[in-house]
Amino acid sequence: MPTVREDIRETLLTKFRQVREQTTRLCETLEPEDFVVQAMPDASPTKWHLAHTTWFFETFVLAQLDSGYVRAHADANYLFNSYYNAVGERIARDRRGLLSRPTISEIHRYRQTVDDRMLEAISSASGKALSEIQSVLILGLNHEQQHQELILMDIKAAFGANPVRPVFQDRPITTESKGRGAELRWVFHQGGLCEVGGGLQFHFDNERPHHTVYLEPFEVASRLVTNAEYLAFMDDGGYTRPEFWLSDGWAAKTNARWEAPHYWERRDGQWWTFTLSGMQKVSAAEPVFHVSFYEADAFARWSEARLPTEAEWEQVATPCPIEGHFLEAGVYQPMPAEDLGTGRPLQIFGDVWEWTASPYTAYPGYRPASGSLGEYNGKFMCTQMVLRGGACVTPQSHIRPTYRNFFGPASRWQFAGIRLAR
Amino acid sequence: MPTVREDIRETLLTKFRQVREQTTRLCETLEPEDFVVQAMPDASPTKWHLAHTTWFFETFVLAQLDSGYVRAHADANYLFNSYYNAVGERIARDRRGLLSRPTISEIHRYRQTVDDRMLEAISSASGKALSEIQSVLILGLNHEQQHQELILMDIKAAFGANPVRPVFQDRPITTESKGRGAELRWVFHQGGLCEVGGGLQFHFDNERPHHTVYLEPFEVASRLVTNAEYLAFMDDGGYTRPEFWLSDGWAAKTNARWEAPHYWERRDGQWWTFTLSGMQKVSAAEPVFHVSFYEADAFARWSEARLPTEAEWEQVATPCPIEGHFLEAGVYQPMPAEDLGTGRPLQIFGDVWEWTASPYTAYPGYRPASGSLGEYNGKFMCTQMVLRGGACVTPQSHIRPTYRNFFGPASRWQFAGIRLAR
Amino acid sequence: MPTVREDIRETLLTKFRQVREQTTRLCETLEPEDFVVQAMPDASPTKWHLAHTTWFFETFVLAQLDSGYVRAHADANYLFNSYYNAVGERIARDRRGLLSRPTISEIHRYRQTVDDRMLEAISSASGKALSEIQSVLILGLNHEQQHQELILMDIKAAFGANPVRPVFQDRPITTESKGRGAELRWVFHQGGLCEVGGGLQFHFDNERPHHTVYLEPFEVASRLVTNAEYLAFMDDGGYTRPEFWLSDGWAAKTNARWEAPHYWERRDGQWWTFTLSGMQKVSAAEPVFHVSFYEADAFARWSEARLPTEAEWEQVATPCPIEGHFLEAGVYQPMPAEDLGTGRPLQIFGDVWEWTASPYTAYPGYRPASGSLGEYNGKFMCTQMVLRGGACVTPQSHIRPTYRNFFGPASRWQFAGIRLAR
Amino acid sequence: MPTVREDIRETLLTKFRQVREQTTRLCETLEPEDFVVQAMPDASPTKWHLAHTTWFFETFVLAQLDSGYVRAHADANYLFNSYYNAVGERIARDRRGLLSRPTISEIHRYRQTVDDRMLEAISSASGKALSEIQSVLILGLNHEQQHQELILMDIKAAFGANPVRPVFQDRPITTESKGRGAELRWVFHQGGLCEVGGGLQFHFDNERPHHTVYLEPFEVASRLVTNAEYLAFMDDGGYTRPEFWLSDGWAAKTNARWEAPHYWERRDGQWWTFTLSGMQKVSAAEPVFHVSFYEADAFARWSEARLPTEAEWEQVATPCPIEGHFLEAGVYQPMPAEDLGTGRPLQIFGDVWEWTASPYTAYPGYRPASGSLGEYNGKFMCTQMVLRGGACVTPQSHIRPTYRNFFGPASRWQFAGIRLAR
């Protein structure tokens, strides 16, 4: 039915334009120099994110449509391939910050050229071709949304590593006015046989297959752990008492000399934190974040609670509307919980990612996609922990109850906080 | 009922003597110099194992019975505490190989003194006291059995790091005579709601609580992967094709330059391997072992199969008798599978530990023991993988279907092999 | 005599303007992004050099003249202090590449403001004040000239680390037209009691005191070692035969996998090298450079010769005119030796720095300057080797026969080559 | 003249027996386990020293005399070659501590066999053969004496790394009875043209050629720096004020957290030090030692003095008798200076090695020996500093005024102290 197809085509064109423009808009306040810096091997320069997401469309859409496709930038495949072994050799990850060239102007031209080609390709594709590229195109847009979050995380890392603490945006953060936040309640779930994993809506391969798990009854906290609660942990010797910590966590803490969440600084007896709006006083009612899994786990043990498993979290989250504080609000800082009296758990989506007790592994029967894109998720299923729910730097349309994010247990630069369970 | 108690007392006395003597017997062929060497930070000198297991009884039995207890060796608590923060400061793990003193003679005296005191304590304990120490005493004996295996693993590592490749025992290994081994069959399990975890018999805290899981139907291989099968993987580029490997595994392989299982050496076009009976030709029908989780996982992917989860493994293992090749046989090398026509999966217990696909995490509702012994297991529940089934260096009475061993995914010095699932 | 003072004032004003403008001119082809990159901890971003040299004048001239001096950039002292402990805390050397801010525009404004203040200060200083600051002002200009060379070295390192191999300047290098270069002759010196060290002309404190040394008779080569000669060393197994190498050199070579001079790449059976004019074929007659002391020493041993000591070099260099290929020529690449028949040794000044056999130590009776500037040279007098003669990236007016440059024996990014002695 | 030859033969036989027995005697108090430990990569196990010195005689004497020579231990060349590339592959230096086998009993047998062969070879050599091997035999004995000192240094490092602080010998050290020691005087030398380097007596190749240097007038201290003086430096912030330190020294100090000489420990407000006779209170009048070059240099700068150059030291030492506290005394700890009123500088020989300001480089015209023994000294002439005068762990017959010892500037486990100059 051609008319249906034309609807899809229009939707794809619109979505493509929106997502790509959203990415560019995130960088409006940056100076050319800012696009170059790589704060640490785990982070990437903004410029690299802009180019890599573009390379993705070239590699998995344009080059698939046209076997003689010539890239819009000669060195793109070497410079902007992230980790796809099947697509070829590439620059070492920790050397991305050495690339002053191509300049940001060249990268913008590269994006523009590829965008033009993509829009032309979508517009002119036959119905058959369109249906062939549709799924990878949607994957590419979701991939780009992931990098929107990474851009914000990584530029925060770059600015945070700079002693002058540059301000990414002047927009003030006014969470204090929101007051003390909501009281902690425990939300009960009776467990039993539960469904887990992606359904009909778009999802990544790591959310598949949809499957059944058996859960014991459990409770999760109605809101995220606040800075005030975390400060109580710190005041009670949280960072100096090994009994709360995993063995590896204690070693990581000791080696890296953690004494507070990442970005926190003590100035004149008061804790401050670096935000994308500059240095701010730590606000009691806001959710604590920029903590590692090890810190989240130690806090939970100190609280005589634990972190939820990802299956538990998913049961609780599934009925909740996907509402909260996301990238689109442009605040890039979580807000205190606000109890609207619905009885639902608060802050499930947005604000900060929530560490779970679940190592990142394959779901029963998982198979990665065939071809190069099979490297997208599967090969990282080891020694990482699952996080759920999205953050204030995640696009709202990108998140869902089944979404599985993952980071190493010592990582702290992502926007990750804590929800307790028991 | 006092008579019952006396039975228990006799059993404890007998078991204590047996286990302690077994440990000493393992070291009969060692020279004084051999007791000192620490091949790598993960391994410990034999001497240290002999002392640490003794320290365990002093700390958790004798010092509990007598608050004024004076240790049989002045520096024992600093030198021989492994990782119990609650028991005090200790020598750094990677410096245990610097301890030429106390000499092995002193360590033997230390063991003898503590054994005498323990036997006296068990013999003279009131019924009430006996019942109080009974569980920690049994824990201590199981702990000592773990270190019996570690002694063999670690002395193999020490001798394997020595260019002269010392022979631990002259006993020849005659597995070749056993022929080709058994054919691979797939053992089906219908899944569903299954029971997991320790029951009435002794088990470690990490096997608790007994709980329910839901499993999809699955199959496991009827026997372990053989050297012949692993050589086929190697010949097919197993170590040079990233598509089979987890991302971290590929990095580990590349950094450490793995090209074959640990202890394998190529001599004149033939693969040899270092065993506790000296260098041996790699035997086609024997199970492959001394592979990391990463290698096991890559082999499974190459085989278009996967590793079993620990819950799957436990379902299959529970009906099997605890028979196989264990430490008591004194061979310290796995044997080819031998099909006795029972229809049961082979090599489930003994031979080599089996990597599972399961990260080592807490069972639902897990709580570590209170007090210092709470550090026994729980604090290691991160970034490690579960192994099941025991090995030819595990005491037979030490293993059970619910037993959870764990190592980091890159570790290769333990006796670990591969069973496939799908 | 006031008129003399006014001459000095005019000279200082002119010299100050010239040197500062020369620095800015070096950066004309750079994009804003290029100013940020730090290729390795030893190198610095161009932006940092521009700011640090400015900070030097603020710290050691303006702040000395005015005890209430307020810096033209608030964070200058933390960001742009190189290594002067007496002047305060500073950013770690290896983190200079994280500074996207201050931007290059801000740095240019910073330079402009300080230049204005300096010119005003020089113009308006009383005769007494002028004579007080004269020597540190001249030191500051020499310091800035050192950083002109560093800017070229470091941007070469940054561009050389970029897989796209950016071209710093389009200017072609036409050394091939110069032919085979000059034959090697040996220049004899009878030795005996010789004078060493700086005289009346400006020199750094490490060239003091002027003193006497006793030398055995020696010969030095009439010109630098050529690429052709170095290729013969390589072809004769220079990089694979330990007998030519110092023990530390062999270890450095092995760890870093040196197989040719830095910046050399083999492409289709031909050696190419990265230059500030882009990739060029290695030219037989040009001096070899970007070699470490270890390589220079190994080459000398292979040649059955040795490197000259710095005292020997100075005897030979003192009568030579300070002519050659310097920064001012804008070529930034050494040229083949050209024998003009004067009988003098060739290429003594300019082209490439010459490694000597002399560790960098204090001359007899050396005392560093008092105050913060005492940290300028003296504290580096350990584990480095002396180089002499300047290079094609050294300003001509900066070099002299007594000038002592120094680098660690494994450093290769400076423009350093080889002259033999025996 | 045959009779002369027979005298030489007898002398060599006697000397050989004496030196070899001296080595064995040093190890009398060690347990078998002690022979295995390698405290750090720079140190070696005692067992290795015993074997390596034996390998030296096999390699450079027995195998030279008999081209079909079969080694007395099959793996000797791989295990006991130190650094002679020309003699073949060898075990990595930092893995010598993994060698529990060959056992010390085997090593003693290896020594005995080689000793027997050596004595037989010396006894039965023709006059011609004897004269051919005479120089390498004497080199081998001097080499063995170097390793006698290394055995004591390295076993001190091994015992010092053991928390139980084993006592190497029970012999008490009674330096306190010697009182306050001697006052510091300055010994003047007029400088001028001076002779440096080895003469007719045995010396290593690095002491050649004998040559002339020109020295400015100088003074050296009449005795070594004492612990009392060094404590004054420490009390005055010696370890916290960068102005006294070389840049690399400050970095080394900071990284390794030096706060006092090596082996010093603070206990109840008093400094103690680990000696080969166990823990001792730091004695005010004894020479400070186990300091690095960086500490010696910083102390000198704090004292407004400097370290002597090796040429200066040699001028002052040449007229002094070779008397002092040496290995033969069996004390292994330096003594307070005792002024006997001779006017001569004190403690020139023995007690502790004296750091000089001279980097270890080749003398003018230096050529290493031909053949494998050319690797003995020459290849280490980089990034090390010269020490002079011997120590209380040096055999008396091993030292001479021209003797050049050398260590890296951060090394602290050798018995090295400080003499000032100015």
Side-chain angles (χ1 to χ4, degrees), chain B residues 142-349:
Chain B
N142 276 275
H143 172 258
E144 178 122 4
Q145 288 184 311
Q146 292 183 302
H147 281 273
Q148 289 169 359
E149 175 162 348
L150 286 166
I151 283 172
L152 292 169
M153 283 162 57
D154 291 358
I155 201 72
K156 185 169 181 179
F159 281 5
N162 188 329
V164 307
R165 303 275 184 271
V167 172
F168 176 73
Q169 61 178 5
D170 274 327
R171 181 170 191 153
I173 300 168
T174 55
T175 63
E176 283 297 353
S177 64
K178 301 234 174 180
R180 280 282 306 144
E183 288 304 301
L184 181 75
R185 291 176 298 107
W186 290 96
V187 180
F188 177 78
H189 189 285
Q190 80 287 355
L193 284 173
C194 301
E195 298 298 296
V196 165
L200 296 176
Q201 185 194 7
F202 171 83
H203 53 259
F204 289 120
D205 64 356
N206 62 8
E207 300 167 54
R208 276 196 299 271
H210 187 94
H211 64 286
T212 301
V213 298
Y214 180 83
L215 299 178
E216 306 286 335
F218 64 94
E219 291 181 320
V220 298
S222 61
R223 59 157 173 77
L224 296 168
V225 170
T226 64
N227 285 324
E229 288 160 346
Y230 199 81
L231 280 161
F233 164 68
M234 287 166 59
D235 289 345
D236 195 32
Y239 282 90
T240 56
R241 292 168 59 185
E243 63 263 37
F244 303 134
W245 293 73
L246 288 166
S247 182
D248 284 356
W250 186 252
K253 177 208 83 76
T254 305
N255 289 340
R257 304 189 198 176
W258 296 339
E259 297 179 349
H262 195 48
Y263 294 126
W264 284 32
E265 286 174 39
R266 208 168 177 83
R267 294 182 175 180
D268 303 327
Q270 161 75 38
W271 283 105
W272 290 69
T273 187
F274 178 69
T275 76
L276 285 171
S277 295
M279 294 300 301
Q280 306 275 341
K281 277 189 197 167
V282 166
S283 157
E286 279 181 37
V288 68
F289 71 122
H290 290 306
V291 291
S292 64
F293 170 79
Y294 292 129
E295 287 159 298
D297 175 80
F299 176 85
R301 198 163 293 118
W302 172 81
S303 305
E304 298 185 344
R306 60 173 176 85
L307 301 176
T309 65
E310 61 168 327
E312 290 170 342
W313 190 95
E314 193 169 321
Q315 301 317 306
V316 171
T318 298
C320 295
I322 300 180
E323 293 169 2
H325 304 112
F326 296 105
L327 174 141
E328 288 81 355
V331 178
Y332 314 141
Q333 191 73 3
M335 295 290 192
E338 201 176 354
D339 202 340
L340 301 170
T342 64
R344 284 219 182 88
L346 308 172
Q347 301 174 310
I348 286 287
F349 296 108

Side-chain angles (χ1 to χ4, degrees), chain B residues 29-40 47 73 75 78-79 91 95 97-105 158-164 166-168, chain D residues 29-40 47 73 75 78-79 91 95 97-105 158-164 166-168:
Chain B
T29 62
L30 296 182
E31 299 288 343
E33 292 92 329
D34 298 329
F35 287 89
V36 181
V37 174
Q38 178 174 36
M40 57 180 178
K47 208 167 62 173
H73 191 287
D75 300 300
Y78 188 82
L79 298 178
I91 190 170
R95 296 175 69 81
L98 302 183
L99 301 177
S100 63
R101 312 286 179 93
T103 62
I104 183 60
S105 303
F159 281 5
N162 188 329
V164 307
V167 172
F168 176 73
Chain D
T29 62
L30 295 181
E31 298 289 343
E33 291 92 331
D34 298 329
F35 287 89
V36 181
V37 174
Q38 178 174 36
M40 56 179 178
K47 208 167 63 173
H73 191 288
D75 300 301
Y78 188 81
L79 297 178
I91 190 171
R95 295 174 71 81
L98 301 182
L99 303 177
S100 63
R101 311 287 179 92
T103 63
I104 183 60
S105 303
F159 281 7
N162 188 329
V164 307
V167 172
F168 176 73

